[in-house]
Amino acid sequence: IFQKWVNREISNFDYLIQLNTMAGRTYNDLAQYPVFPWILRDYTSEELDLNNPAVFRDLSKPIGCSVVFIKISFFRYENFEDPLGMIDKFHYGTHYSNAAGVMHYLIRVEPFTTLHIQLQSGRFDCADRQFHSIPATWQALMDNPNDVKELIPEFFYFPEFLENQNGFNLGQLQISKEVVNDVVLPKWAHSPEDFIYKHRKALESEYVSAHLHEWIDLIFGYKQRGPAAVEALNVFY
């Protein structure tokens, strides 16, 4: 499979799906759901220029390791000490993939809506914590060192999860009073289908093809644990 990918006989998407499967990740387990990378960092331009390297995220670093937070992650690791000696040092107290994160992204689609409501003791979580905007979600990652969620495969093939087709009442944002309905898209996407088309195109772009192995090292490869993980600021609680 690796050789097929290198020879470009299979797409980046297919390669990531197969790596997830080999790693024991599956759509049948929310706690081990397939994980995909954030690949872009431009969610504000009117047009998406895939020939410009500046529109892409740095795939060699964990999502929680933006320039601003490198010092925070380093400090947290260096100064953490469990008095009982049970918990190892870590850079991040949360994880890049978990059940709550999957439900967060897929809240508009059953059965994830019902699972979310069960998790929140019988009601929707407050609107400000819902997945309501792709640009705002990316900005939150950049502003909050404790949010390190990567993406799920649906961001590359399933436009329906971005629409509130079932008309769920997801509340309204506290400050702007904006009603949470369909997911707000980047300016360069004219519809959920257009977002998926361009996002998938970005995944298969030359830039991502040349750098995807760096992210794979972090999630599936030798930078998961041990000295290489410490050096890459990639140690999770």
Side-chain angles (χ1 to χ4, degrees), residues 56-68:
F56 294 97
R57 163 228 178 150
D58 181 350
L59 288 161
S60 69
K61 292 187 175 69
I63 201 68
C65 196
S66 67
V67 176
V68 185

Side-chain angles (χ1 to χ4, degrees), residues 165-229:
Q165 292 184 355
N166 293 314
F168 294 122
N169 179 3
L170 300 171
Q172 57 184 159
L173 305 180
Q174 280 181 326
I175 295 171
S176 68
K177 302 299 178 198
E178 179 190 345
V179 173
V180 177
N181 192 23
D182 293 346
V183 176
V184 177
L185 303 171
K187 287 180 184 173
W188 46 257
H190 308 302
S191 67
E193 290 77 11
D194 189 46
F195 170 80
I196 295 292
Y197 171 74
K198 288 173 178 167
H199 202 217
R200 180 71 169 263
K201 207 170 170 183
L203 179 64
E204 303 301 339
S205 68
E206 280 303 317
Y207 180 91
V208 174
S209 296
H211 293 276
L212 188 58
H213 67 280
E214 297 171 338
W215 182 82
I216 288 168
D217 286 341
L218 295 170
I219 306 297
F220 300 108
Y222 76 106
K223 291 183 180 177
Q224 284 180 81
R225 52 177 63 87

